[in-house]
Every structure is written in structure tokens, then in C-alpha cells.
Amino acid sequence: MSTDTAIVWLRRALRLADNPALAAALERHAAVTVAYVHDTSGRWTHGSAARAWLTHSLAALDADLRSRGSRLLVLEGPATDALPTLASALSARVVHHDRSYVPEIAGADARVAAALAAAGVSLIAQECAYLRTPETPRTGSDTPYTVFTPYYNACRRQPVAHAPLPAPAALQLPDGLPTAIPLASIADGTPAPPRLLDYFTPGEAGAAAALERFVAETLGDYASGRDRPNLVGTSRLSPHLAFGEIAPWRVAELAEEASASIAPGASAEAFVRQLHWRKFGGYLLHHFPHTATQPLKAEFAAMPWAEDLAGRDAWRAGQTGFPLVDAGMRELAATGWMHNRVRMLAASFLTKDLLLPWQDGERFFWESLVDADPGNNTLGWQWVAGSGADAAPYFRVFNPITQGERFDPDGAYMRAWVPELAQLPARWIHRPHEAPPEVLDAAGVVLGETYPRPILDHAEARRRALAAYDAVRAAKR
């Protein structure tokens, strides 16, 4: 082992176990400094909700490091300045980091590598955040996949084995560490989602506990329960995965191991499929960088979007008069997270009922979600809008009332997030605007006062959306 020091620069791999960047540094160097660079430049700067999570996650990582005789060094960006300065202060000749395939971030990493090289320091990338590199797989004609199922099948034919990398028992810090910036500066004064910590425990230990709980209590019913927002039917691991507090391959391996003894194979398979779907977004963004802001299907650039600021604001505030849409948007505001079934409905309402651009929703979710991920966020919005890879049929327009009645039949989710409707019977809670006056009176609901009337007629909005989509498709022909 060398006696010099190394820097480990972490971004989306905020963990000590199963961390190839940290393991590579420890294998070759006696002293290791773990650093995070707070860089607010570029499109993919964390949104306000993600910054709140990041602050807690970095605090947890710092505590884990301190328990091993080290500490986290948080530096102010840009990384092109901060890392060469740190390397010089520590006489370090190598920086290990978690590789990103997001085009803009990868480009920035190339600039960091050049700045370090000018100072005689090597930047070494390690695969830390992907089930498999987004460079593969490819079709038989050597092109990227644009349909998920063939991509998934190709991934499953070539499983990637990862030997466990235990967290180090101790870490040796070098002398001469510079002063770190306070973690509070990352949040930049932006308030956290008020109920974030009621629902999540950011950090590596929180991720491990969430995975253990999911495997023991939820995985067995995942295939049937994941679409029910009124149940704890999903893993809620997405923010932990977004920040790399747990390795995605470890999550997949544990789910598959559990399928033999705890969970039916169908549920484990459905869950692993969702892990790959999440990574499919990163794969697409790597191969089609323009999809961050533009549709993958070029004809949708001519989509005749509406301009409805009042509708957009009602959607953001959870005041559309469609209870399941409103419940989801309020859950998002309170926790920084939204159930996936409701995310699809909320996205459909914005892009098809209101006929507003998917880019508006994508940026709002980027700002509001603690699990915001560049590829996955874009993938989800383009899927709903019908303009992306493996997209939902353009004519699929989610009905916000029937979706509620199907997936929240007793109204439990509604009562949690739209309390002004809590006293309505299940028969009417998803359609209060149709409830008899005596039912509304008994429940203390005054439409237009205690709860808004629907801001649009869904049937008419659906007809308008289909006409717009038909026009786009006709123009292509």
C-alpha cells in the first residue's frame, strides 16, 4: 500500500459500503479524504427539496466518517477550482469519484479532469450508481434501445455480479485539511418539506433500514400493492437511490434473494423491473442528451401547448378540484415525495387536461422532489406526455376520478392529504362536485369555499388533448 493520500469526491454515491470509489482509494492509499463539492452551476443543480435531503444525507455521512476517525470535507464549488486546491493542500496525486453519464455532468467532469491534470493530479472514475453502465446494452444493429422491455431483457441476460464491499472500520485522515463550509449553506435558506423527516431517514443507515423493512414487510405484495397510494406498497427507496446511499445492485440482489423465501417471484421480478426502469432514464439521457428539454419523438416539438397560468398554479397548489390530483400535489409539498401512481395522474392532468408543456412539469418536479434524478424525471414526464421512449399511447388520458376510485377505493389517501373532504363517504370523496347537497352539508364541504370546484371539464379536456395530438400525428404523415 502506498503511504500517500487520496481524495474521494462523492456526488451521487453518499455511502461507505459498496462504494467502489472509496474502496479503490483505500486499496492504494494510507490516508483518504472524503469530499463533497457544493457546486451550484449547471442545469442539474439540486432543487430545493433535494438540497434539504442532501443536507441531512451529508450530515449522516459525516457522522459515519467521524465514528471511523475521519470526517467529511464539504467545499464550495466550482469543482474545477476546489479540487485542485484541495489536492495541492494535501499533496494528493489522485482523486477517485463516482462516474456520471449525465451528458452535462460528464462534460463538467472532463473539465475537472483537465484542471487536475494541469496540477499533476489524476481523476479516476468508478462505477458507483448504475445497475450497468448506460453505454450498454445495445440492439443487434448496434443502436441504443428506445423501448424498455427489450432493453430490460438484454440487461437480464447479462447480469452484473458485485462482490460486497464492506464499509471500512477506520479511516486515516491526512494532515492539513482546509476548513469546510457549513452544511446549512447547501440548503441556502430554503425550507425543507415540512414532513420530510416523518417519512424518511436520509443517509446510509436510513437506506439500509428502509430496504430491510421493504423486503420483510412489503416486497411480497409489491406486484399488487405498488399502485395503491392508500397502502405502504412501494419501497420508498427512490431518494436513497437518487443520492446513492445504497448501491442499486445490492437492492436488486437482496430483492431477488428474498423472492425464494419471502416474496412471490412475480413481486420480486416486478420490483427489479422497476429498478431497471429507473436506470433506463439515465441510459436514454446518455444516448439522447436533447431529451432533457426536447421530445425524443421530434414531431412532438410542434405540439400546440396551451398557456394557462391559472390552471398551472392550481395544479401546483393542489387546488384543481380533482381530489386525487390535489392529494398528490399536497403530498409532494409536504414530504418531497409522491406515490408513483399519483405522479402519473398528476403528470397526465398537466399535459393532457391542462395541455401544458411537459417541460413545465419536469422542472417543477425537479425543484420539488427529494428523489429527483435527471434521467428518471425526464423519462417519466415524456412517457406520460407521449413524446418519449416507450411512451404511453398518446390517447391515454388518465381520468382523475376513476383512478381515485380504482386505486384508493376507501378514500384513505384522500383523507390524509385533502382533509377538507375527510368526512365525505367513500362513494363521493373522489367526486365531491357530484355529491348531493345534503351529503356535502353533513361533511362540512362548501364547494368553491372549503374546497374548489373542478377547474375544467375532464371529458372536454380529453377531447381537446386528443385533437391536439391527432393534429401532430397528422402533420407527421
Side-chain angles (χ1 to χ4, degrees), residues 298-305 355 394-395 462-477:
E299 65 268 24
F300 283 92
M303 186 71 183
W305 299 113
L355 206 63
Y394 77 96
F395 50 80
R462 182 178 184 277
R463 285 191 290 271
R464 180 180 68 158
L466 293 181
Y469 277 79
D470 285 341
V472 169
R473 289 170 59 83
K476 179 185 177 183
R477 293 194 295 267

Side-chain angles (χ1 to χ4, degrees), residues 443-466:
V445 177
V446 180
L447 294 178
E449 295 183 18
T450 62
Y451 184 71
R453 298 181 185 277
I455 61 173
L456 51 79
D457 180 284
H458 172 70
E460 177 57 35
R462 182 178 184 277
R463 285 191 290 271
R464 180 180 68 158
L466 293 181

Side-chain angles (χ1 to χ4, degrees), residues 302-353:
M303 186 71 183
W305 299 113
E307 294 184 10
D308 184 354
L309 296 184
R312 182 204 65 186
D313 292 346
W315 177 81
R316 289 180 176 181
Q319 294 288 336
T320 67
F322 290 91
L324 190 57
V325 175
D326 293 341
M329 299 305 290
R330 296 183 193 188
E331 180 183 33
L332 175 62
T335 69
W337 184 86
M338 190 194 304
H339 187 279
N340 186 60
R341 166 59 56 175
V342 190
R343 290 190 199 198
M344 290 190 290
L345 173 63
S348 177
F349 191 87
L350 183 77
T351 58
K352 292 179 176 174
D353 285 76

Side-chain angles (χ1 to χ4, degrees), residues 213-250:
R213 184 168 55 249
F214 170 64
V215 169
E217 302 174 4
T218 307
L219 178 59
D221 297 318
Y222 179 81
S224 59
R226 61 177 176 165
D227 281 326
R228 295 286 299 274
N230 60 318
L231 306 174
V232 181
T234 65
S235 71
R236 298 194 179 184
L237 285 168
S238 56
H240 299 294
L241 289 166
F243 284 96
E245 296 169 349
I246 194 165
W249 57 84
R250 196 64 58 220

Side-chain angles (χ1 to χ4, degrees), residues 8 12 32 37 49 173 177 249 275 298 357 363 390 396 404 435 445:
V8 177
R12 294 270 184 168
V32 171
V37 180
L173 269 178
L177 280 183
W249 57 84
L275 289 176
R363 291 314 294 172
D390 216 54
R396 177 183 291 167
V445 177

Side-chain angles (χ1 to χ4, degrees), residues 10 14 20 32 41 48 89 134 167 184 212 277-278 305 314 425 439 445 463:
L10 299 180
L14 303 181
V32 171
S41 61
S48 59
E212 181 180 358
W277 171 260
R278 181 177 183 84
W305 299 113
V439 172
V445 177
R463 285 191 290 271

